[in-house]
Amino acid sequence: MKILYFAWLRERVGLAEEDVTLPAHITDIAGLITWQRDRGPGFAAAFAPGGQVRCAVDQEFAGHDTSIAGAREVAFFPPVTGG
Amino acid sequence: MKILYFAWLRERVGLAEEDVTLPAHITDIAGLITWQRDRGPGFAAAFAPGGQVRCAVDQEFAGHDTSIAGAREVAFFPPVTGG
Amino acid sequence: MSSTIMRRILVQTADFDTGAQLACLEARPGVGGIASFVGTVRGQTGGKTLTALTLEHYPGMTERALTGIAQQAEARWPLLGCIIIHRVGTLPPGARIVLAAAASAHRQAALEATGFLIDWLKTNAPFWKREDFTDHTTNWVEARAADHEAASRW
Amino acid sequence: MSSTIMRRILVQTADFDTGAQLACLEARPGVGGIASFVGTVRGQTGGKTLTALTLEHYPGMTERALTGIAQQAEARWPLLGCIIIHRVGTLPPGARIVLAAAASAHRQAALEATGFLIDWLKTNAPFWKREDFTDHTTNWVEARAADHEAASRW
């Protein structure tokens, strides 16, 4: 699965995108976020509890309870600030 | 006093503007409208009761109860339709 | 801060350049949002085809009325600039008739002020429209109740 | 009638010509009103002076999100055309960032749809702004609660 990072999430994790193979027990965004926190200090800071992490699954905005089964692309980012 | 006419009021009375000396008993717009009705068929049609005549006194929108004492310029016109 | 507000009121027969007008507002220091409305001559009304639209106005009073409307907008919203341009004379279908535009630090003031400017202009400025149709009939446009409702929102 | 609706969605580094864009909407048959909003880079925020504003976005998703917002506007108002242009990359103070515009037979639909487009774009399209200041600090702009309130009006 492809994971993308934007804005200050990208800066904190130090990656714009990566391909990952997830453990089978991770089935939704909430589980993926918990898993991310153990990947190092940058990830821990980016995904700290109480943070403002938003996400999209296959380029659609998604809540933390959204399934990632079969997803090709998940993106994490701060609340959007365009316009 | 100068009297101006616009849009279909101008067409009905057949004048764009005129200088008039009013009888002393005419002191407000309502009185002026009543007086206009006796000035001929064009005026009678333009100022017919129940019509949509609006007016301005010295270039400010005014109601039919507005005084014309001391006014230099009175204008009659239909409801505005700009924009 | 009123010295920093740009206000442009024009009544003219000539066309205007919308982009050039808006660029004047964009260039004001502190501006973050510029809203605008352009009204154009529709080619059809009430199922009939227009050959021309003629705009009559009350010279002298028109500029006073438009200035008053702009002052109202400036008093109600923190504007950095506003523009009202209204054409008069005989215009073909598709021609621009009017531009109302407002600039502010933030978008909501600019958008609301623009809506106010055009709604009030429709009911509080001395312009009258006459339609000439292809069947050689003419019609003085009647005021719409909806325009008064729109203006009374503000 | 959907075949007659013009829809233009652009995400680009280049500047845009506001007047030329609006002229495309003015030229559509049946159009009587064209509303627009242009957002620009303010030179000051929070008492600090900006050197640049950088706009990051999510390629692919951005175009989908903007198309979805335009479709919503077309479903809610009788539009004859709409335009969303959003710049990305690093922009100096005063630069244009975004254009949202809508055209309809009548003004109210054009004005309301333009407000909707920009309000929804602020909360429903994947763009992020970073401010670079003259004191060499940088700041990712935080989302404003007021923007969510504005979007939830519609």
Side-chain angles (χ1 to χ4, degrees), chain B residues 81-83, chain C residues 10-16 37-42 50 53-55 84-89 91-92 94-100 118 121-122 127 129, chain D residues 26 31-34:
Chain B
T81 57
Chain C
L10 296 170
V11 180
Q12 61 188 41
T13 54
D15 195 11
F16 51 83
F37 176 80
V38 174
T40 56
V41 180
R42 276 177 296 139
L50 225 70
L53 185 74
T54 298
L55 281 133
I84 303 173
I85 303 178
H86 204 300
R87 295 178 70 190
V88 293
L91 305 176
R96 281 176 280 266
I97 303 168
V98 62
L99 169 67
I118 190 69
L121 190 156
K122 290 241 173 205
F127 292 100
K129 286 193 186 111
Chain D
E26 290 167 5
V31 165
I34 303 96

Side-chain angles (χ1 to χ4, degrees), chain C residues 16-20 22-23 26 30-43 94 96 104-108 110-112 114-115 118-119 122 144 146-147 150-151 153, chain D residues 16-20 22-23 26 30-43 94 96 104-108 110-112 114-115 118-119 122 144 146-147 150-151 153:
Chain C
F16 51 83
D17 180 332
T18 308
L22 297 183
E26 290 167 6
V31 165
I34 305 95
S36 75
F37 176 80
V38 174
T40 56
V41 180
R42 276 177 296 139
R96 281 176 280 266
S104 185
H106 299 285
R107 77 183 181 291
Q108 216 57 47
L111 285 162
E112 289 182 11
T114 298
I118 190 69
D119 281 349
K122 290 241 173 205
R144 297 164 63 231
D147 286 337
R153 291 183 302 149
Chain D
F16 51 84
D17 179 334
T18 308
L22 297 183
E26 290 167 5
V31 165
I34 303 96
S36 75
F37 176 81
V38 173
T40 57
V41 180
R42 273 177 297 139
R96 281 175 281 266
S104 186
H106 298 285
R107 78 183 181 290
Q108 216 55 47
L111 285 162
E112 289 182 12
T114 298
I118 191 68
D119 281 350
K122 291 242 171 205
R144 296 164 65 232
D147 286 337
R153 289 183 303 150

Side-chain angles (χ1 to χ4, degrees), chain B residues 16-32:
Chain B
E17 68 176 80
E18 59 178 340
D19 278 296
V20 296
T21 303
L22 295 176
H25 71 274
I26 298 177
T27 58
D28 63 10
I29 293 292
L32 178 53

Side-chain angles (χ1 to χ4, degrees), chain C:
Chain C
M1 298 286 284
S2 66
S3 65
T4 67
I5 300 177
M6 171 189 140
R7 184 198 304 156
R8 179 175 297 157
I9 307 284
L10 296 170
V11 180
Q12 61 188 41
T13 54
D15 195 11
F16 51 83
D17 180 332
T18 308
Q21 293 297 332
L22 297 183
C24 296
L25 294 177
E26 290 167 6
R28 304 294 296 176
V31 165
I34 305 95
S36 75
F37 176 80
V38 174
T40 56
V41 180
R42 276 177 296 139
Q44 304 267 338
T45 70
K48 294 169 80 174
T49 301
L50 225 70
T51 55
L53 185 74
T54 298
L55 281 133
E56 184 170 328
H57 79 124
Y58 182 172
M61 179 173 168
T62 313
E63 291 76 4
R64 284 167 70 126
L66 297 181
T67 300
I69 292 167
Q71 287 172 330
Q72 277 284 331
E74 290 160 6
R76 292 179 185 215
W77 289 277
L79 301 186
L80 295 163
C82 72
I83 298 176
I84 303 173
I85 303 178
H86 204 300
R87 295 178 70 190
V88 293
T90 297
L91 305 176
R96 281 176 280 266
I97 303 168
V98 62
L99 169 67
S104 185
H106 299 285
R107 77 183 181 291
Q108 216 57 47
L111 285 162
E112 289 182 11
T114 298
F116 169 88
L117 288 174
I118 190 69
D119 281 349
W120 270 45
L121 190 156
K122 290 241 173 205
T123 55
N124 293 287
F127 292 100
W128 300 274
K129 286 193 186 111
R130 192 191 71 214
E131 298 166 328
D132 296 339
F133 295 106
T134 50
D135 65 4
H136 303 293
T137 59
T138 68
N139 175 53
W140 286 99
V141 174
E142 286 186 36
R144 297 164 63 231
D147 286 337
H148 283 273
E149 283 162 31
S152 66
R153 291 183 302 149
W154 300 106

Side-chain angles (χ1 to χ4, degrees), chain A residues 2-20 32 35-36 39 43 46-47 53 74-78, chain D residues 56-58 128:
Chain A
K2 192 172 174 182
I3 305 186
L4 306 176
Y5 304 93
F6 293 98
W8 57 252
L9 263 122
R10 174 178 50 70
E11 293 179 340
R12 287 188 196 170
V13 305
L15 284 172
E17 68 176 81
E18 59 178 338
D19 277 296
V20 296
L32 177 54
W35 180 76
Q36 294 271 38
R39 295 179 66 201
F43 282 88
F47 290 95
V53 176
V74 172
F76 291 104
F77 42 76
Chain D
E56 183 169 328
H57 79 123
Y58 183 172
W128 300 275

Side-chain angles (χ1 to χ4, degrees), chain A residues 4-8 10-11 56 58-61 73-83, chain D residues 56-61 64 86 97-98 121-129 140-143:
Chain A
L4 306 176
Y5 304 93
F6 293 98
W8 57 252
R10 174 178 50 70
E11 293 179 340
D58 289 335
Q59 303 191 349
E60 297 280 355
F61 289 110
E73 184 172 303
V74 172
F76 291 104
F77 42 76
V80 302
T81 56
Chain D
E56 183 169 328
H57 79 123
Y58 183 172
M61 179 172 168
R64 285 166 69 125
H86 204 300
I97 304 169
V98 62
L121 189 156
K122 291 242 171 205
T123 54
N124 293 285
F127 293 99
W128 300 275
K129 286 194 184 110
W140 286 98
V141 174
E142 286 185 37

